Amino acid sequence: MEGVAAIGGLLSVIFVIVLAIVLILAPIKLYSIDSNLRHIQTQLHAISGQIEVESRYLSIISDALAKPESPPTPPRAA
């Protein structure tokens, strides 16, 4: 019976140690994740701006291509 109590006590000590380690490391890991997400957000913002600029260029090109060409003027007889 004493062996069961000793094992139970040992398991509770191990649980408390693991819990303490998790509680110490969790904020560090969360800060790392937050930092990575901020970096990704910055990259997505830059990509969004680049897409917006390229979209404007494509719009200008599309408008230029959609305009009908004026018919060529016939040469004048001299």
Side-chain angles (χ1 to χ4, degrees), residues 56-67:
R56 286 188 204 143
Y57 287 147
L58 289 175
S59 176
I60 292 169
I61 292 170
S62 175
D63 289 346
L65 292 175
K67 291 181 182 177

Side-chain angles (χ1 to χ4, degrees), residues 13 29-30 52 54:
V13 169
K29 187 64 177 173
L30 288 176
E52 188 176 327
E54 290 180 7

Side-chain angles (χ1 to χ4, degrees), residues 15-41:
F15 176 76
V16 169
I17 291 172
V18 168
L19 184 62
I21 291 172
V22 167
L23 290 176
I24 290 170
L25 293 180
I28 296 170
K29 187 64 177 173
L30 288 176
Y31 176 77
S32 173
I33 291 171
D34 182 56
S35 176
N36 288 340
L37 288 176
R38 287 179 194 269
H39 181 67
I40 291 170
Q41 182 182 19

